[in-house]
């Protein structure tokens, strides 16, 4: 029997995660937590059932939650929400698109999402609360620390370390065995 899950944040990233959750077919989306003024509105047919102030009360009924706020300029909201829901006692599952490839010899930690057509190869390690976005590649032996966003079609080559809280932009590419931190703009080559 599929368990229910709440989503926090009803913007563009939420829509993409909804599609992944529907495709994965492991959870039933119970609703979305967003701003108070959006209560009752819908995102792709799923109702906004509460705001941040309702998270403790919602936990009485729902145990699973996924942070669906994006991360471009800053991940501070994602990080704050991650710590908040953990302190309440929610479970943050790992969500992996059935259209992605994640090696059985890799590891993806709690609260992270691997989007459609992403590749996570052997011995790669993805931390907590990360976004491995559509068509991103995380190669062998790479480490993506907590709270990172590997954006669309980005390439993290073998042995690279992406430090905590880093945004790695669309179509950016790292050289192998380098350490990357902070913000990498779209299309960059990191040597």
């Amino acid at each position: 029997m599929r368990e229910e899950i709440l989503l926090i944040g009803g913007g563009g990233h939420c829509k993409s995660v909804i599609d992944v959750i529907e495709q994965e077919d492991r959870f039933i989306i119970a609703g979305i937590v967003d701003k108070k003024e959006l209560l009752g509105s819908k995102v792709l047919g799923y109702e906004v059932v509460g705001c941040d102030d309702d998270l403790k009360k919602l936990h009485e009924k729902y145990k699973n939650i996924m942070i669906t706020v994006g991360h471009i300029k800053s991940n501070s909201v994602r990080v704050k929400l991650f710590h908040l829901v953990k302190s309440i006692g929610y479970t943050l599952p790992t969500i992996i698109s059935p259209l992605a490839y994640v090696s059985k010899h890799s590891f993806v930690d709690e609260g992270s999402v691997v989007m459609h057509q992403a590749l996570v190869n052997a011995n790669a390690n993805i931390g907590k609360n990360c976004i491995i976005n559509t068509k991103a590649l995380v190669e062998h032996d790479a480490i993506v620390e907590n709270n990172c966003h590997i954006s669309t079609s980005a390439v993290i080559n073998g042995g690279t370390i992406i430090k905590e809280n880093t945004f790695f932009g669309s179509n950016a590419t790292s050289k192998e065995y380098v350490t990357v931190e902070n913000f990498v703009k779209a299309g960059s080559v990191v040597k």
Side-chain angles (χ1 to χ4, degrees):
M1 187 170 146
R2 295 184 302 156
E3 294 181 46
E4 292 184 301
I5 192 168
L6 290 171
L7 308 180
I8 304 181
H13 181 60
C14 179
K15 293 172 187 167
S16 294
V17 174
I18 286 171
D19 194 61
V20 170
I21 291 171
E22 288 176 342
Q23 291 293 316
E24 188 184 34
D25 202 29
R26 194 165 51 111
F27 293 98
I28 297 166
I29 299 169
I32 296 167
V33 176
D34 208 320
K35 296 176 183 151
K36 191 174 280 187
E37 57 268 26
L38 296 174
L39 282 171
S41 66
K42 292 193 175 180
V43 178
L44 299 184
Y46 297 101
E47 187 174 348
V48 175
V49 295
C51 64
D52 292 1
D53 295 339
D54 301 318
L55 284 168
K56 283 186 181 171
K57 181 80 173 152
L58 287 166
H59 185 252
E60 294 171 12
K61 184 172 182 184
Y62 305 108
K63 302 305 173 206
N64 298 301
I65 203 158
M66 190 71 187
I67 297 165
T68 52
V69 172
H71 167 190
I72 296 178
K73 292 181 180 167
S74 171
N75 69 348
S76 61
V77 173
R78 282 184 62 84
V79 173
K80 179 181 151 217
L81 289 170
F82 182 85
H83 292 301
L84 174 63
V85 298
K86 288 292 287 181
S87 72
I88 293 169
Y90 279 100
T91 298
L92 288 106
T94 299
I95 304 292
I96 298 173
S97 167
L99 303 175
Y101 175 77
V102 176
S103 169
K104 69 178 183 177
H105 302 290
S106 66
F107 178 75
V108 181
D109 211 337
E110 66 178 338
S112 290
V113 61
V114 180
M115 308 295 278
H116 298 319
Q117 297 185 351
L119 298 167
V120 179
N121 276 329
N123 207 41
N125 190 316
I126 311 295
K128 295 175 170 69
N129 196 29
C130 289
I131 302 166
I132 308 301
N133 219 322
T134 306
K135 293 190 174 184
L137 167 63
V138 180
E139 255 307 347
H140 65 86
D141 303 309
I143 297 169
V144 177
E145 294 182 352
N146 298 336
N147 309 310
C148 291
H149 180 181
I150 308 305
S151 199
T152 52
S153 297
V155 176
I156 307 299
N157 273 305
T160 295
I161 298 170
I162 306 294
K163 299 300 280 182
E164 191 165 356
N165 301 315
T166 295
F167 174 83
F168 198 89
S170 296
N171 290 306
T173 302
S174 79
K175 191 177 183 312
E176 63 280 352
Y177 298 97
V178 296
T179 299
V180 180
E181 57 188 323
N182 298 325
F183 185 90
V184 176
K185 68 180 185 175
S188 298
V189 176
V190 181
K191 300 176 184 179

